[in-house]
PDB file of all heavy atoms in Angstrom:
ATOM      1  N   PRO A 503     -13.162  -1.215  -4.765  1.00  0.00           N
ATOM      2  CA  PRO A 503     -12.791  -2.224  -5.761  1.00  0.00           C
ATOM      3  C   PRO A 503     -13.974  -2.929  -6.407  1.00  0.00           C
ATOM      4  O   PRO A 503     -13.922  -3.255  -7.597  1.00  0.00           O
ATOM      5  CB  PRO A 503     -11.937  -3.218  -4.970  1.00  0.00           C
ATOM      6  CG  PRO A 503     -11.328  -2.379  -3.892  1.00  0.00           C
ATOM      7  CD  PRO A 503     -12.426  -1.409  -3.486  1.00  0.00           C
ATOM      8  N   SER A 504     -15.055  -3.171  -5.669  1.00  0.00           N
ATOM      9  CA  SER A 504     -16.148  -3.955  -6.260  1.00  0.00           C
ATOM     10  C   SER A 504     -16.955  -3.159  -7.244  1.00  0.00           C
ATOM     11  O   SER A 504     -17.609  -3.699  -8.142  1.00  0.00           O
ATOM     12  CB  SER A 504     -17.067  -4.500  -5.127  1.00  0.00           C
ATOM     13  OG  SER A 504     -17.691  -3.409  -4.448  1.00  0.00           O
ATOM     14  N   SER A 505     -16.971  -1.808  -7.137  1.00  0.00           N
ATOM     15  CA  SER A 505     -17.720  -0.990  -8.037  1.00  0.00           C
ATOM     16  C   SER A 505     -16.852  -0.231  -9.018  1.00  0.00           C
ATOM     17  O   SER A 505     -17.308   0.228 -10.045  1.00  0.00           O
ATOM     18  CB  SER A 505     -18.585   0.021  -7.245  1.00  0.00           C
ATOM     19  OG  SER A 505     -17.737   0.968  -6.580  1.00  0.00           O
ATOM     20  N   GLY A 506     -15.568  -0.055  -8.662  1.00  0.00           N
ATOM     21  CA  GLY A 506     -14.631   0.716  -9.478  1.00  0.00           C
ATOM     22  C   GLY A 506     -14.868   2.201  -9.393  1.00  0.00           C
ATOM     23  O   GLY A 506     -14.304   2.969 -10.196  1.00  0.00           O
ATOM     24  N   LEU A 507     -15.672   2.645  -8.440  1.00  0.00           N
ATOM     25  CA  LEU A 507     -16.050   4.074  -8.314  1.00  0.00           C
ATOM     26  C   LEU A 507     -15.424   4.691  -7.091  1.00  0.00           C
ATOM     27  O   LEU A 507     -15.010   4.026  -6.134  1.00  0.00           O
ATOM     28  CB  LEU A 507     -17.556   4.214  -8.184  1.00  0.00           C
ATOM     29  CG  LEU A 507     -18.385   3.706  -9.415  1.00  0.00           C
ATOM     30  CD1 LEU A 507     -19.869   3.686  -9.056  1.00  0.00           C
ATOM     31  CD2 LEU A 507     -18.121   4.592 -10.636  1.00  0.00           C
ATOM     32  N   ALA A 508     -15.363   6.047  -7.098  1.00  0.00           N
ATOM     33  CA  ALA A 508     -14.854   6.778  -5.959  1.00  0.00           C
ATOM     34  C   ALA A 508     -15.758   6.508  -4.756  1.00  0.00           C
ATOM     35  O   ALA A 508     -16.977   6.469  -4.886  1.00  0.00           O
ATOM     36  CB  ALA A 508     -14.814   8.254  -6.272  1.00  0.00           C
ATOM     37  N   PHE A 509     -15.154   6.325  -3.591  1.00  0.00           N
ATOM     38  CA  PHE A 509     -15.957   5.987  -2.393  1.00  0.00           C
ATOM     39  C   PHE A 509     -16.647   7.224  -1.831  1.00  0.00           C
ATOM     40  O   PHE A 509     -17.855   7.160  -1.546  1.00  0.00           O
ATOM     41  CB  PHE A 509     -15.025   5.403  -1.337  1.00  0.00           C
ATOM     42  CG  PHE A 509     -15.777   4.823  -0.132  1.00  0.00           C
ATOM     43  CD1 PHE A 509     -16.285   3.552  -0.178  1.00  0.00           C
ATOM     44  CD2 PHE A 509     -15.990   5.601   0.990  1.00  0.00           C
ATOM     45  CE1 PHE A 509     -16.993   3.020   0.933  1.00  0.00           C
ATOM     46  CE2 PHE A 509     -16.675   5.082   2.072  1.00  0.00           C
ATOM     47  CZ  PHE A 509     -17.173   3.805   2.069  1.00  0.00           C
ATOM     48  N   PHE A 510     -15.971   8.318  -1.654  1.00  0.00           N
ATOM     49  CA  PHE A 510     -16.543   9.538  -1.096  1.00  0.00           C
ATOM     50  C   PHE A 510     -17.088  10.482  -2.165  1.00  0.00           C
ATOM     51  O   PHE A 510     -17.974  11.254  -1.910  1.00  0.00           O
ATOM     52  CB  PHE A 510     -15.513  10.276  -0.247  1.00  0.00           C
ATOM     53  CG  PHE A 510     -15.018   9.560   0.954  1.00  0.00           C
ATOM     54  CD1 PHE A 510     -13.736   9.051   1.030  1.00  0.00           C
ATOM     55  CD2 PHE A 510     -15.851   9.347   2.031  1.00  0.00           C
ATOM     56  CE1 PHE A 510     -13.280   8.363   2.145  1.00  0.00           C
ATOM     57  CE2 PHE A 510     -15.428   8.643   3.157  1.00  0.00           C
ATOM     58  CZ  PHE A 510     -14.113   8.158   3.218  1.00  0.00           C
TER      59      PHE A 510
END
Side-chain angles (χ1 to χ4, degrees):
S504 64
S505 68
L507 298 171
F509 189 85
F510 295 111

